[in-house]
Amino acid sequence: MKLKLLTLLVAASAATNAFAADAEKKTWEVTSELGAIVTSGNTETTTLKGGLKVLHHLENWNNEYKIDGIYKEDEVEDDNGDKDKQRTNEKYSASAQGNYKLNEKNSHLFIYGSHVSDYFGAYRTESVISAGYGLRLIDQPDMWLNAEFGPGYKFFEYSDDSTQVDDDGNLLAGESDSEVIALGKLDYNWQISDNARFTQLVSVEYGDSNTKTRSETALLTKINGSLQMKVGFNVTNNSDVADDEESTDTETSLTLVYSF
């Protein structure tokens, strides 16, 4: 495969480095990332990935807003040997969380909401709302670990071509459902050095019809004062999927993160 073009683009944003030891925490912290990979030759592919994260620090609240998206096209050969570019992955997600600070050190109550639109996942759409309690299990200058847990409610829609069936054998394609879930999350950050940071996020949504587990692993290295390179590996597992679908989806990404 001949690689003709490889670009990594980054969207600029007003941001504050949350790990600068000598910087006062600002009211707003905004970071954005964007990566693009385009190949041509024997195989043609196009992959775009972007994200925006906003932190809002108030006297009694710490709020977080996130938007992420990925789009991918691959050249696919049909039975006749003809090649055509087809969309092979498209997923968008948005979430918001408000953390109310408690008098107890490093603990909070949270309310969380999210929506995912996935054209190639186990479910076409998923929406979650939950509330609960969070606390910091590790609190060091260069490392911290937060834990959150609580009940929630989940709305989801099966894709139009889903082959999943209910207990009576009825096809669930295009159908919607909802259920009570239990939500848990671990969020780990380690500032390895002035130029390198490691993050690990693990979350579980447990329900009667499905248990969804997500792992987001990332290593960020500083290129200069404002620019970082991010290598990420994400894993999503659904316990209950159709026989012709994979239960685990993985995603490896290389993006640039810009902050100032």
Side-chain angles (χ1 to χ4, degrees), residues 17 19 190-198 219-225 227-229:
N17 189 342
F19 288 91
W190 176 27
Q191 189 70 28
I192 303 172
S193 67
D194 291 341
N195 298 318
R197 176 162 58 99
F198 175 82
L219 178 65
L220 296 94
T221 57
K222 185 180 295 185
I223 299 175
N224 57 39
L227 195 61
Q228 298 178 86
M229 179 175 290

Side-chain angles (χ1 to χ4, degrees), residues 4 10-11 31 34 37 44 52 138 150 245:
K4 283 191 174 180
V10 63
T31 57
L34 183 62
I37 298 178
E44 294 186 5
L52 181 69
I138 298 175
E245 295 178 344

Side-chain angles (χ1 to χ4, degrees), residues 112-185:
Y112 169 80
S114 68
H115 179 76
V116 177
S117 175
D118 192 346
Y119 289 86
F120 294 88
Y123 299 94
R124 176 62 185 84
T125 62
E126 294 180 83
S127 298
V128 171
I129 184 169
S130 66
Y133 174 77
L135 73 162
R136 178 156 292 187
L137 301 177
I138 298 175
D139 188 17
Q140 299 180 7
D142 61 347
M143 181 187 304
W144 52 261
L145 173 65
N146 288 343
E148 294 177 342
F149 54 90
Y153 201 72
K154 182 175 182 177
F155 306 85
F156 53 95
E157 177 186 356
Y158 295 91
S159 62
D160 291 336
D161 57 357
S162 175
T163 59
Q164 284 187 263
V165 295
D166 60 18
D167 295 337
D168 298 324
N170 299 315
L171 196 64
L172 294 172
E175 297 293 324
S176 300
D177 204 348
S178 61
E179 64 179 353
V180 175
I181 63 171
L183 186 145
K185 182 170 70 173

Side-chain angles (χ1 to χ4, degrees), residues 16-61:
T16 303
N17 189 342
F19 288 91
D22 57 347
E24 181 182 356
K25 180 174 287 188
K26 305 298 183 180
T27 301
W28 292 94
E29 297 182 51
V30 184
T31 57
S32 61
E33 62 177 288
L34 183 62
I37 298 178
V38 181
T39 68
S40 64
N42 295 325
T43 302
E44 294 186 5
T45 64
T46 300
T47 303
L48 302 173
K49 178 178 173 62
L52 181 69
K53 180 179 179 180
V54 180
L55 300 177
H56 190 197
H57 303 288
L58 301 172
E59 182 178 356
N60 296 317
W61 289 85

